[in-house]
Amino acid sequence: MSRASFNTSSSSSDNTAESEADACTEQTRRALLMSALATTACLACSTQVHAGEDGPGSDERPQKGDLLVFSEGDQEGKPVTAADLSAGGPPVHAWPKDPKTSVVRSASRLNEILIIRLDPAELDEQTKARAVDGILAYSAICSHAGCPVTAWVKSDVGDKEVLKCMCHNSEYDPRAAAQVVFGPAPRRLAALPLALADGSLTVAGNFVGKVGGAQPG
Amino acid sequence: MTRKQWLLSGFVAFTCLASTAAVSGPVENYAPVTAQRLENPEPSNWMLYRRTYDGQGYSPLDQINTSNVKNLTPVWTFATGVVEGHEAPPIVNNGVMFVATPMGQVIALNAKTGDEYWRYKRQLPDDLFQLHPTSRGVGLWEDKLYLATTDDHVVALDAKTGKVVWDTKVQDYKKGQYMTLMPLIVDGKVIVGGSGGEFGVRGYVAAYDAKDGKELWRTYTIPGEGEPGHDTWQGEDWKNGGGSAWMTGNYDKDTKTIYWGVGNAAPWPGEMHPGDNLYTSSVLALDPNTGKIKTYHQYHQNDSWDWDEVEAPMLIDLQRDGRNIKSLVHPGRDAIFWILERTPTKINYVAGWPFVSTDVWKGIDAESGRPIVDPAHKPMVGKRVEFCPSLWGGKDWPSAAYSQKTGLVYVPANENFCGGFTGEKVPLKPGELWLGTKPEDIGLKTKPGADHFGELQAWDPVTGKKMWQHNFPKSQLFGSVTATAGDLVFVGGTNDRNFRAFNAKSGELLWEQKTNSGIMGMPVSYEIDGTQYIAIQSGWGVDAQRIQDALVTNNIGIEANVPQGGVIWVFALKK
């Protein structure tokens, strides 16, 4: 384009094009994550169920005795075992599965679960009582605006890693019953009681706390 | 009745109230909104997104002016009870104010006293993924209001009572379809555009009958097979090509043409959707009666930077180079200040120049208006690429304004921000975000030694000269601008919670007021009983908060905490 020019108007702007990207300051990984959300951008990618694949019971909340199966990755659909969980995280993403019907309860994104294994010594008393060999499960849905919680990153306000919703930067401490430590979320993530049988994780009870985002006051 | 029946009946009654609660009583003597009133609005009212169909964001009221604005003081406030980004202009019709807030709420107030008439609270689905929990306002027609919701419905409310008149599902929120814009009302048609480009949707603009909510037309912003422009896509890319249209359009009442901004292509890296990708990053000229695309202009081709061009261009009559030009003026997210000419059959490129520094463009072809990209700063698959400005662009969705008195365009810009990411091919799953990059690899950076970030700029669109600029040393500028005949420019948008008034001619800061939260909203002006008021929503969140979080981590002395929570502020001169 031989006639290309920024001087097609009589602009007096001194903001001419220049190459400065390389001169930009470096930032932390956390900052990179936070800045990911430009107006139409967000990070967290929650697995969603495809229409037409839902069986009876697939939209029901987790039931006592349900197996927990991977919701993503190479092992998608396979049961989550204690051996699959690295101490100190990151969490794995899972769906509850009815062991009798083999229906995976993935028809509602509100059923997605984070399973994480932590050092029992780091857990507060309430959380320790709920843990099985340091393994904990929480709802993967942020209590602020219902975005998925996907990140396991260093906190904005401390030196420990936390569960994070990248939509609006809410952070939850899984060592303290997923209480909110940063961001606009109004309440903790719902917890899911667990049991361990023959190395596989199962659901031991209903969610403790409300799953999903807030409504106006 | 048994105890169980009592309980059940009480539950049903509560459910009905919760969805359409009339709190304090109906509005009396409501002034119905007509085509004539929208086309020639009384100076005392603010009934459209930018007050007038031309999108100029200009109030002809001048009681508050450069000589007395120092006496501006709050006269009433109203807490919305909601956190997150409050982006809607308070809409005012003959003494009644309607305010939309995040989470699908509309509040009707006495605009003089702040007394509440009624409040509508939408019961949003529990499983809604609210990426952008906000609303940019309600449209008015006859005796109804129209709200586009984040669960992708258009809802008509009775303006006097807040009761739902009709509720039409537009598309499926579970597939990433949602809306945040204020509907544009043209002659009995409720016109909306969809969000969701980041979920890999196919964008559209659609019109609904204001009376009953029946869909009248839907025009996709990505042309399908057999439609003009389809050949700018390859293979099946068009089916999930993005091009969402999530901001309110403007309207030329003389030629009966809507001008609507269209967002970027999906996913982000252009390699993943070769071609020009019409009509992404464009302005469409649409027939409001049929939705037919009359013509278009694409600001930049094969977008790879997440640079939505969704803000509709302002319609301004200019005298330039010795002739009268019916122009379209658009300070773009792509960092270029665009001057176009609108004709009945074509949009012509007139001029363009960068209004913030950019390393992406080498120039603009003078004949076609196509910007020329520097490939070194165009994101691609498998390699990290940096570019300036950032993903938020030179100016994001917050609106510029044009003063008919000064002839200047006022731009809320951001300088010294850059970004980058590595493109990655990922499969599309409906309802999941689909960016074409690993989220962890995306970044915002500040240029070393930068002495400011936000800039309020004043440009002469005739000469292309920048007339003045106010810098904000430790804050982004992320709020819409309003100009008034009092030679004032009002804007919030900074992380210090201030609302400000500038001299429109000189750029001198004349007044500022600390508010409860940061301001992302749009200032409006109206008049009741001879008193001019300025109104704004203060309520920080969404992208302003995201930039804030990124700034804090750059360790450049930025305050971390901007409190959230919405409050409507109304100001008048001290008596």
Side-chain angles (χ1 to χ4, degrees):
Chain A
M1 296 182 193
S2 58
R3 302 181 62 177
S5 170
F6 267 136
N7 298 316
T8 51
S9 75
S10 54
S11 169
S12 67
S13 169
D14 56 4
N15 293 320
T16 52
E18 53 188 324
S19 179
E20 297 181 82
D22 294 341
C24 291
T25 55
E26 203 51 52
Q27 66 178 137
T28 64
R29 179 169 175 270
R30 181 175 59 82
L32 291 169
L33 288 167
M34 295 177 82
S35 61
L37 300 172
T39 294
T40 59
C42 181
L43 310 190
C45 295
S46 174
T47 302
Q48 193 113 9
V49 176
H50 302 262
E53 296 177 0
D54 307 337
S58 62
D59 59 349
E60 292 176 359
R61 293 290 167 268
Q63 310 285 312
K64 187 174 181 180
D66 280 356
L67 280 167
L68 292 169
V69 298
F70 285 92
S71 65
E72 61 183 17
D74 295 340
Q75 297 190 72
E76 184 174 341
K78 293 181 180 175
V80 179
T81 68
D84 293 318
L85 300 161
S86 304
V92 302
H93 291 241
W95 295 119
K97 178 180 177 179
D98 186 332
K100 295 175 192 147
T101 63
S102 295
V103 168
V104 177
R105 303 190 198 280
S106 56
S108 170
R109 58 188 297 272
L110 298 179
N111 286 349
E112 190 164 17
I113 295 155
L114 301 172
I115 308 172
I116 190 166
R117 184 173 211 162
L118 298 168
D119 180 353
E122 288 190 325
L123 309 183
D124 68 16
E125 288 307 310
Q126 180 187 13
T127 310
K128 194 178 294 181
R130 198 177 287 150
V132 179
D133 288 347
I135 301 170
L136 294 154
Y138 294 104
S139 166
I141 306 302
C142 181
S143 63
H144 167 235
C147 297
V149 175
T150 54
W152 177 242
V153 292
K154 191 174 175 185
S155 171
D156 270 325
V157 290
D159 56 3
K160 289 185 176 177
E161 289 180 303
V162 290
L163 299 169
K164 184 156 188 165
C165 168
M166 300 309 302
C167 280
H168 309 100
N169 294 322
S170 290
E171 296 178 353
Y172 303 88
D173 183 356
R175 305 162 197 84
Q179 70 176 7
V180 181
V181 294
F182 183 78
R187 52 183 159 74
R188 65 189 68 218
L189 295 174
L192 188 68
L194 290 179
L196 195 56
D198 300 328
S200 292
L201 291 164
T202 61
V203 175
N206 297 332
F207 275 121
V208 180
K210 183 182 182 303
V211 177
Q215 284 284 323
Chain B
M1 185 181 280
T2 66
R3 181 171 176 272
K4 186 176 178 183
Q5 285 172 320
W6 275 108
L7 286 170
L8 279 171
S9 65
F11 174 75
V12 170
F14 174 78
T15 303
C16 294
L17 279 173
S19 60
T20 58
V23 177
S24 306
V27 176
E28 296 181 352
N29 302 318
Y30 185 72
V33 176
T34 62
Q36 184 182 21
R37 292 189 66 213
L38 291 179
E39 290 183 8
N40 297 288
E42 306 89 0
S44 57
N45 286 320
W46 195 288
M47 298 185 290
L48 292 162
Y49 187 57
R50 300 296 283 143
R51 202 187 84 78
T52 44
Y53 274 132
D54 53 27
Q56 293 180 3
Y58 174 75
S59 169
L61 299 176
D62 62 0
Q63 183 181 88
I64 303 166
N65 54 51
T66 52
S67 67
N68 60 23
V69 69
K70 63 181 181 295
N71 298 321
L72 205 57
T73 191
V75 292
W76 61 263
T77 58
F78 188 99
T80 68
V82 186
V83 296
E84 269 298 341
H86 287 57
E87 300 178 352
I91 295 297
V92 180
N93 176 20
N94 280 18
V96 185
M97 176 184 287
F98 302 101
V99 180
T101 78
M103 310 299 172
Q105 180 179 231
V106 182
I107 308 167
L109 300 159
N110 182 318
K112 184 173 182 178
T113 65
D115 293 332
E116 180 180 326
Y117 290 122
W118 54 257
R119 189 187 298 226
Y120 167 77
K121 295 180 183 177
R122 184 165 185 79
Q123 299 300 288
L124 295 168
D126 286 344
D127 62 348
L128 181 62
F129 179 167
Q130 284 212 85
L131 179 59
H132 294 104
T134 192
S135 170
R136 297 190 178 85
V138 289
L140 310 184
W141 180 252
E142 296 181 340
D143 56 357
K144 299 185 191 70
L145 316 178
Y146 302 91
L147 175 71
T149 69
T150 45
D151 58 337
D152 221 54
H153 286 231
V154 177
V155 181
L157 304 176
D158 185 312
K160 297 176 185 174
T161 65
K163 290 183 177 173
V164 174
V165 180
W166 54 258
D167 181 335
T168 298
K169 178 182 175 181
V170 177
Q171 296 205 75
D172 186 355
Y173 73 85
K174 292 188 178 183
K175 294 179 180 172
Q177 303 275 2
Y178 65 105
M179 290 186 291
T180 56
L181 80 175
M182 174 173 163
L184 173 69
I185 314 296
V186 175
D187 206 16
K189 297 177 184 64
V190 182
I191 305 171
V192 297
S195 301
E198 66 276 19
F199 292 85
V201 303
R202 182 184 176 203
Y204 67 93
V205 182
Y208 295 85
D209 189 319
K211 291 194 301 292
D212 56 16
K214 181 184 174 188
E215 185 167 307
L216 301 173
W217 53 258
R218 183 179 299 209
T219 298
Y220 287 96
T221 57
I222 311 293
E225 291 169 340
E227 295 177 328
H230 183 70
D231 59 354
T232 64
W233 294 85
Q234 290 188 13
E236 304 285 285
D237 293 347
W238 62 278
K239 290 183 177 176
N240 306 99
S244 50
W246 48 271
M247 288 287 288
T248 310
N250 292 324
Y251 175 54
D252 186 334
K253 61 192 179 188
D254 296 327
T255 62
K256 298 197 181 305
T257 305
I258 298 168
Y259 291 92
W260 207 285
V262 182
N264 58 298
W268 291 356
E271 272 178 286
M272 294 175 69
H273 42 82
D276 278 3
N277 307 141
L278 292 176
Y279 298 98
T280 61
S281 301
S282 301
V283 54
L284 292 178
L286 298 166
D287 181 333
N289 291 317
T290 64
K292 184 184 175 191
I293 297 172
K294 296 182 175 182
T295 186
Y296 72 95
H297 176 80
Q298 188 171 40
Y299 298 107
H300 59 270
Q301 294 71 34
N302 191 234
D303 180 87
S304 300
W305 306 268
D306 187 31
W307 284 343
D308 278 296
E309 298 297 353
V310 286
E311 196 199 5
M314 291 181 282
L315 281 57
I316 303 173
D317 290 343
L318 297 176
Q319 268 217 325
R320 191 182 164 93
D321 301 329
R323 65 188 186 101
N324 294 322
I325 295 178
K326 289 194 169 298
S327 78
L328 297 171
V329 174
H330 176 66
R333 192 154 154 179
D334 61 12
I336 297 172
F337 194 114
W338 295 96
I339 307 278
L340 309 172
E341 180 184 24
R342 65 189 197 275
T343 76
T345 56
K346 194 167 179 292
I347 297 173
N348 299 313
Y349 169 72
V350 176
W353 61 88
F355 63 96
V356 298
S357 59
T358 172
D359 56 18
V360 169
W361 309 120
K362 290 182 173 179
I364 300 174
D365 180 79
E367 285 190 354
S368 67
R370 289 174 72 102
I372 302 160
V373 65
D374 182 345
H377 298 290
K378 182 171 182 174
M380 56 190 294
V381 174
K383 181 185 175 186
R384 183 173 180 83
V385 175
E386 307 284 344
F387 55 89
C388 308
S390 76
L391 299 168
W392 286 283
K395 183 192 81 65
D396 208 285
W397 68 264
S399 295
Y402 173 72
S403 167
Q404 295 169 12
K405 277 191 71 181
T406 64
L408 301 181
V409 172
Y410 304 96
V411 183
N414 283 297
E415 180 61 280
N416 295 318
F417 288 155
C418 301
F421 61 89
T422 306
E424 183 181 86
K425 290 184 178 176
V426 288
L428 172 71
K429 294 182 181 176
E432 291 187 19
L433 287 160
W434 193 51
L435 306 180
T437 182
K438 273 186 181 168
E440 295 87 340
D441 197 33
I442 304 167
L444 175 120
K445 298 178 179 180
T446 58
K447 291 182 182 175
D451 62 356
H452 72 282
F453 303 105
E455 294 181 351
L456 180 61
Q457 304 175 345
W459 288 89
D460 184 338
V462 174
T463 64
K465 291 183 179 177
K466 188 190 290 180
M467 304 306 289
W468 56 261
Q469 175 175 309
H470 183 94
N471 295 340
F472 297 95
K474 292 190 174 183
S475 178
Q476 68 278 51
L477 185 61
F478 211 93
S480 293
V481 182
T482 291
T484 75
D487 280 334
L488 294 170
V489 174
F490 289 92
V491 69
T494 52
N495 57 19
D496 57 7
R497 301 186 283 119
N498 272 320
F499 185 40
R500 296 183 169 90
F502 293 87
N503 185 314
K505 292 178 180 171
S506 68
E508 182 186 1
L509 175 62
L510 299 176
W511 171 86
E512 59 187 344
Q513 165 77 49
K514 194 77 81 179
T515 67
N516 57 296
S517 181
I519 294 171
M520 301 178 69
M522 184 176 291
V524 305
S525 188
Y526 60 95
E527 183 182 272
I528 301 174
D529 297 337
T531 297
Q532 182 186 355
Y533 297 89
I534 304 291
I536 186 78
Q537 289 203 87
S538 177
W540 197 247
V542 205
D543 289 281
Q545 180 63 50
R546 292 168 186 166
I547 297 171
Q548 180 70 13
D549 291 337
L551 281 176
V552 170
T553 59
N554 272 262
N555 298 317
I556 48 179
I558 301 287
E559 274 297 316
N561 184 31
V562 182
Q564 290 201 1
V567 172
I568 306 160
W569 290 74
V570 177
F571 303 90
L573 295 174
K574 286 176 191 166
K575 289 187 177 174

